[in-house]
């Protein structure tokens, strides 16, 4: 693997899940492959899980990790190739990426969608620029439109908890007061298409995601209908894709509660975290024995480990 930008960079998805589970059972089996190597983790946005799990993964593989919060600690970066840099931005991504490549063997980048302009967000300017100007592999720590390390952790979690070869997996929109990006649901959908799931999406009318990503997936606008016989409920809010970045639906009835969970096949509850209690999901569901949210967070370590290992070894 040369870079890990989205789930398509994984050649064989079921093989990488198995490898991650094998590493989880024996986490120090590759603790020498990163000796004398380093990973630079560049954050333009907040993080708990991605930041700590990727550092932990690096540590278990023997790498050192360096973190920079670029918005508060770095120079303001210019991404325009033809810019006359007479205003506030002091450093061009060409130099920033080139310099980081001198210090680090792998570079991780987190930069969320701005949600102001769909075309601009879909250009993925920040991660694409680092990919263009870094001379070392790039890992996506959540970009404008993808969060593939989260999706891989989710796939590992489903594999560990499924009770049948083809579980019914439902991605359900849930309410949220603020506009959220599409990266997590987009990557979850791409991952689900690569796995043997009976997979459906349920969201309010007008909240369908990018058709290029949902192509071939059944979308149901009746949440209770979608939940019937489900084995896994994956809750996530996303802002409106057509009326880009808007919160046009504040319908609290889409919250995941125990009444809805009782319509499922004793489904496991999943969410990438952070989650707003009693807005997205009730305490009762989140605190139930069927909640897998901490397992998902734990599996972020093993998704990062298997990806970093493949980048070091440049293998599929
Ligand atoms: N799920 C996830 O990426 O969490 P953080 O935003 O805290 O890293």
């Amino acid at each position: 693997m040369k870079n890990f930008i989205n789930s398509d960079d994984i050649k064989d998805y079921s093989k990488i899940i198995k490898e991650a589970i094998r590493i989880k059972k024996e986490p120090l089996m590759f603790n020498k492959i990163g000796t004398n190597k380093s990973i630079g983790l560049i954050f333009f946005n907040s993080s708990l899980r991605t930041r700590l799990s990727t550092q932990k993964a690096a540590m278990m593989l023997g790498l050192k990790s360096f973190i920079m919060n670029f918005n508060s600690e770095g120079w303001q970066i210019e991404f325009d190739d033809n810019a006359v840099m007479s205003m506030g931005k002091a450093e061009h991504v060409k130099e920033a990426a080139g310099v980081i490549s001198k210090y680090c063997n792998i570079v991780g980048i987190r930069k969320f969608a701005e949600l102001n302009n769909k075309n601009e967000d879909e250009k993925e300017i920040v991660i694409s620029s680092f990919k263009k100007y870094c001379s070392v592999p790039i890992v996506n720590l959540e970009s404008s439109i993808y969060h593939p390390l989260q999706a891989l952790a989710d796939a590992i979690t489903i594999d560990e908890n499924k009770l049948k070869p083809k579980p019914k997996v439902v991605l359900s929109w849930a309410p949220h007061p603020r506009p959220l990006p599409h990266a997590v649901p987009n990557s979850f959908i791409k991952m689900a298409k690569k796995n043997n799931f009976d997979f459906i999406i349920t969201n309010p009318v007008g909240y369908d995601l990018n058709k290029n990503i949902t192509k071939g997936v059944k979308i149901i606008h009746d949440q209770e209908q979608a939940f019937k016989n489900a084995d896994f409920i994956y809750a996530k809010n996303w802002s409106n894709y057509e009326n880009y970045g808007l919160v046009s639906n504040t319908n609290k009835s889409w919250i995941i509660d125990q009444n809805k969970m009782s319509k499922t096949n004793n489904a496991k509850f999943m969410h990438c975290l952070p989650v707003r209690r009693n807005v997205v999901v009730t305490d009762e569901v989140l605190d139930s024995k069927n909640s897998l949210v901490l397992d998902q967070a734990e599996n972020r370590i093993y998704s990062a480990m298997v990806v970093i290992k493949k980048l070091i070894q440049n293998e599929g």
Side-chain angles (χ1 to χ4, degrees):
M1 196 188 293
K2 283 195 165 51
N3 299 288
F4 187 57
I5 305 294
N6 72 52
S7 305
D8 294 333
D9 291 317
I10 296 171
K11 275 197 197 127
D12 186 332
Y13 214 93
S14 63
K15 200 169 150 196
I16 204 168
I17 292 171
K18 283 188 181 63
E19 191 171 348
I21 291 173
R22 193 165 65 101
I23 291 172
K24 186 174 179 178
K25 287 189 177 126
E26 227 181 306
L28 296 178
M29 69 197 297
F30 297 111
N31 68 350
K32 296 280 188 290
I33 67 165
T35 303
N36 297 324
K37 295 188 189 302
S38 58
I39 182 166
L41 304 174
I42 307 299
F43 285 88
F44 289 88
N45 304 98
S46 306
S47 170
L48 189 167
R49 282 141 290 271
T50 304
R51 180 172 168 150
L52 296 187
S53 64
T54 312
Q55 279 188 287
K56 171 98 176 175
M59 187 185 85
M60 309 261 263
L61 294 169
L63 290 91
K64 291 269 185 296
S65 50
F66 308 139
I67 292 198
M68 269 191 82
N69 294 305
F70 252 52
N71 284 346
S72 56
E73 297 168 346
W75 301 106
Q76 288 288 303
I77 302 292
E78 176 61 64
F79 289 93
D80 185 344
D81 274 348
N82 303 307
V84 176
M85 291 171 56
S86 58
M87 302 299 280
K89 294 178 179 171
E91 178 145 42
H92 199 280
V93 66
K94 281 190 190 181
E95 285 74 48
V99 168
I100 295 167
S101 303
K102 298 287 183 197
Y103 304 148
C104 302
N105 302 88
I106 300 174
V107 177
I109 306 286
R110 166 167 281 200
K111 175 68 177 78
F112 295 166
E114 296 282 344
L115 295 176
N116 295 323
N117 181 321
K118 188 190 290 187
N119 290 336
E120 284 302 307
D121 282 344
E122 292 190 345
K123 282 182 196 160
E124 294 265 50
I125 286 167
V126 174
I127 198 160
S128 303
S129 301
F130 274 95
K131 185 181 168 199
K132 185 172 173 188
Y133 295 118
C134 276
S135 56
V136 296
I138 299 293
V139 185
N140 186 343
L141 304 177
E142 186 170 343
S143 65
S144 296
I145 49 176
Y146 294 121
H147 194 0
L149 282 174
Q150 179 65 52
L152 180 54
D154 298 336
I156 295 165
T157 311
I158 292 173
D159 199 84
E160 289 176 325
N161 287 280
K162 69 183 181 187
L163 299 174
K164 55 172 95 145
K166 189 173 183 178
K168 179 174 175 182
V169 178
V170 178
L171 170 62
S172 178
W173 185 91
H176 197 282
R178 298 189 57 223
L180 296 189
H182 308 99
V184 169
N186 284 347
S187 279
F188 190 82
I189 294 164
K190 278 182 91 73
M191 175 278 285
K193 286 171 148 183
K194 292 173 188 294
N195 281 278
N196 188 31
F197 299 163
D198 174 8
F199 179 56
I200 60 172
I201 304 170
T202 185
N203 55 255
V205 172
Y207 263 79
D208 289 3
L209 288 156
N210 183 344
K211 287 186 175 29
N212 293 327
I213 292 172
T214 60
K215 192 173 171 193
V217 180
K218 193 168 173 185
I219 301 171
I220 298 180
H221 298 120
D222 178 339
Q223 193 188 34
E224 290 209 10
Q225 173 70 23
F227 274 40
K228 279 185 189 153
N229 298 318
D231 298 300
F232 293 89
I233 300 295
Y234 194 100
K236 186 71 188 84
N237 172 269
W238 56 86
S239 57
N240 201 300
Y241 183 72
E242 289 308 322
N243 294 312
Y244 191 68
L246 297 183
V247 179
S248 53
N249 187 318
T250 51
N251 188 347
K252 293 184 177 134
S253 72
W254 277 74
I255 191 172
I256 315 295
D257 62 16
Q258 199 53 48
N259 182 44
K260 286 174 195 164
M261 292 300 286
S262 71
K263 306 286 188 320
T264 68
N265 182 29
N266 194 27
K268 301 291 187 189
F269 174 80
M270 300 179 73
H271 189 282
C272 63
L273 303 182
V275 69
R276 289 188 183 231
R277 282 177 172 260
N278 302 309
V279 175
V280 173
V281 54
T282 60
D283 285 339
E284 195 180 9
V285 173
L286 199 53
D287 295 333
S288 73
K289 65 178 176 31
N290 281 21
S291 174
L292 295 178
V293 297
L294 297 186
D295 304 79
Q296 292 171 259
E298 181 186 6
N299 283 333
R300 290 294 306 273
I301 300 168
Y302 306 104
S303 76
M305 279 182 83
V306 75
V307 165
I308 293 170
K309 173 182 170 288
K310 287 192 177 299
L311 291 172
I312 290 173
Q313 297 178 327
N314 194 11
E315 62 177 33

